[in-house]
Amino acid sequence: MKFELFTRVALREDLPQYKLCQGDVATIVEHHPVPDDEDGYSLEVFNAVGETIAVITVAQSQIEPLMSNEVLHVRVLDEVIA
């Protein structure tokens, strides 16, 4: 599935190197097509008040679309992501 730019997506898995968890929501800011392999995406991750806390690159299989039967929630980020 190809995702459109500026679409909000959820992480499918924990990304401990970024202190992000499965289900965290991010916005697609760039698509990285890879011929004969899995595409990648750059994601911008925001805190609850809309400040950017990270820009990361993930494989397409690490994200999924948001669904209408899901609810967003807030969690505490133990430390600032570098």
Side-chain angles (χ1 to χ4, degrees):
M1 161 184 232
K2 182 179 175 188
F3 293 93
E4 297 295 323
L5 291 181
F6 309 112
T7 300
R8 291 190 311 165
V9 295
L11 296 178
R12 284 184 181 247
E13 60 190 59
D14 292 345
L15 299 176
Q17 67 272 36
Y18 302 114
K19 300 181 179 23
L20 298 173
C21 297
Q22 179 182 358
D24 284 350
V25 175
T27 300
I28 295 174
V29 294
E30 191 63 56
H31 175 226
H32 306 285
V34 179
D36 302 321
D37 204 356
E38 183 176 11
D39 285 359
Y41 289 90
S42 290
L43 307 177
E44 188 167 4
V45 184
F46 299 93
N47 65 15
V49 296
E51 300 164 335
T52 300
I53 57 173
V55 177
I56 63 171
T57 302
V58 298
Q60 181 172 308
S61 61
Q62 293 177 291
I63 58 176
E64 60 189 5
L66 299 181
M67 306 299 285
S68 63
N69 65 342
E70 297 173 322
V71 175
L72 299 177
H73 72 277
V74 176
R75 68 180 178 86
V76 174
L77 186 61
D78 293 330
E79 56 186 81
V80 177
I81 300 170

